């Protein structure tokens, strides 16, 4: 991710952007007009120096002693995260995880919406719709179905052994960003942005720190 100064911000900072956006939306809903770096830090669970350092990558977002304008920063992060317009997303893999994500109401929290799902052509649900009206197609229809749709982002919840094959199909169909729940590294063109979500690894990390805390 690039800033106006054409410098790349640290990955740790980039991962906190949605948290900042969520906090400013909450502050705005609570009619808070100004927020200090200390208030923001406490709401997220980090230190205020980290908040100020993160914000410094984007120029002057506030003035020392005056705090941060909540509405202005909410709109700033909405623009930064492209949350001012609906982002259509597709999902591939209608298994247990896929089903859970299909029922998760992204659009109620942010302007992201799963508009179609895919699975192997023989899957029993191919040709049907979810209770929310999301159509489920066969993987062989990916290119055809997204040709005229405004979709550049995909969520991948297929078995590990199929992840690379399906990812290649997605890239060939024009997908530019993939969130993968498959615990394997995908080999894709460098311009494709991939975000990995490994729930097992996250849980193991949690258990490690719990054990360490009580040793």
């Amino acid at each position: 991710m690039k800033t106006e100064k054409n410098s790349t911000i640290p990955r740790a900072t980039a991962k906190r952007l949605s948290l900042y956006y969520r906090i400013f939306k909450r502050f705005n809903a609570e009619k808070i007009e100004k927020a200090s770096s200390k208030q923001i830090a406490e709401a997220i669970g980090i230190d205020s120096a980290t908040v100020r350092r993160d914000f410094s990558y984007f120029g002057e977002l506030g003035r020392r002693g005056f705090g941060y304008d909540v509405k202005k920063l909410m709109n700033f992060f909405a623009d930064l995260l492209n949350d001012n317009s609906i982002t259509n997303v597709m999902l591939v893999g209608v298994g247990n995880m896929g089903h859970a994500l299909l029922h998760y109401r992204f659009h109620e929290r942010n302007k992201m919406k799963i508009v179609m799902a895919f699975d192997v052509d023989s899957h029993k649900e191919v040709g049907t719709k979810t209770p929310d009206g999301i159509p489920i197609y066969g993987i062989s229809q990916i290119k055809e179905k997204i040709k005229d749709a405004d979709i550049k982002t995909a969520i991948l919840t297929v078995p590990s052994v199929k992840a690379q094959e399906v990812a290649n199909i997605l890239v060939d169909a024009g997908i530019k960003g993939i969130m993968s729940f498959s615990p394997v590294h995908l080999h894709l063109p460098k311009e494709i942005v991939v975000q990995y979500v490994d729930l097992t690894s996250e849980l193991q990390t949690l258990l490690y720190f719990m054990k360490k805390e009580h040793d």
Side-chain angles (χ1 to χ4, degrees):
M1 182 176 291
K2 304 283 187 178
T3 68
E4 294 177 332
K5 299 176 182 178
N6 200 34
S7 59
T8 304
I9 71 170
R11 187 172 182 81
T13 296
K15 292 181 74 170
R16 283 190 287 269
L17 297 181
S18 62
L19 297 179
Y20 289 130
Y21 180 39
R22 185 188 308 164
I23 292 304
F24 281 114
K25 283 202 297 184
R26 195 189 85 195
F27 285 166
N28 185 63
E30 294 172 355
K31 309 298 184 186
I32 298 172
E33 295 182 358
K34 297 282 185 181
S36 67
S37 56
K38 183 179 179 182
Q39 287 175 291
I40 299 165
E42 288 177 349
I44 294 179
I46 56 178
D47 60 86
S48 55
T50 299
V51 172
R52 292 192 295 272
R53 184 170 61 249
D54 285 349
F55 286 9
S56 71
Y57 291 107
F58 304 99
E60 294 295 328
L61 296 185
R63 292 168 57 196
R64 183 178 292 276
F66 288 86
Y68 297 93
D69 184 307
V70 168
K71 196 160 191 175
K72 177 182 174 182
L73 269 292
M74 180 184 71
N75 292 333
F76 172 81
F77 284 107
D79 184 58
L80 196 65
L81 295 167
N82 196 32
D83 200 49
N84 287 315
S85 58
I86 294 290
T87 297
N88 290 332
V89 179
M90 59 182 282
L91 180 141
V92 185
V94 190
N96 291 334
M97 177 62 72
H99 266 293
L101 292 171
L102 283 175
H103 289 90
Y104 185 82
R105 298 178 179 274
F106 291 96
H107 60 281
E108 290 183 358
R109 294 171 174 83
N110 297 90
K111 294 183 179 179
M112 296 176 287
K113 186 178 182 182
I114 297 177
V115 295
M116 60 180 72
F118 297 84
D119 209 307
V120 291
D121 292 43
S122 59
H123 192 278
K124 62 181 181 180
E125 293 183 64
V126 166
T128 68
K129 291 185 177 182
T130 69
D132 288 332
I134 301 171
I136 301 173
Y137 303 112
I139 286 179
S140 63
Q141 295 179 280
I142 285 180
K143 260 192 174 181
E144 170 197 341
K145 293 299 180 182
I146 73 171
K147 188 192 313 182
D148 299 319
D150 183 22
I151 301 178
K152 298 295 180 186
T153 309
I155 299 174
L156 192 60
T157 58
V158 300
S160 300
V161 293
K162 290 290 185 181
Q164 184 65 57
E165 178 186 344
V166 176
N168 290 342
I169 293 172
L170 293 174
V171 172
D172 191 45
I175 291 296
K176 301 299 182 186
I178 297 173
M179 173 174 280
S180 176
F181 282 81
S182 300
V184 292
H185 180 74
L186 300 173
H187 298 278
L188 300 171
K190 62 181 181 179
E191 67 270 17
I192 305 301
V193 180
V194 183
Q195 183 76 30
Y196 296 96
V197 181
D198 188 340
L199 297 179
T200 301
S201 177
E202 293 295 331
L203 181 57
Q204 287 176 329
T205 301
L206 169 66
L207 295 175
Y208 166 76
F209 282 113
M210 287 172 62
K211 183 175 183 298
K212 188 177 178 183
E213 190 69 27
H214 292 90
D215 279 348

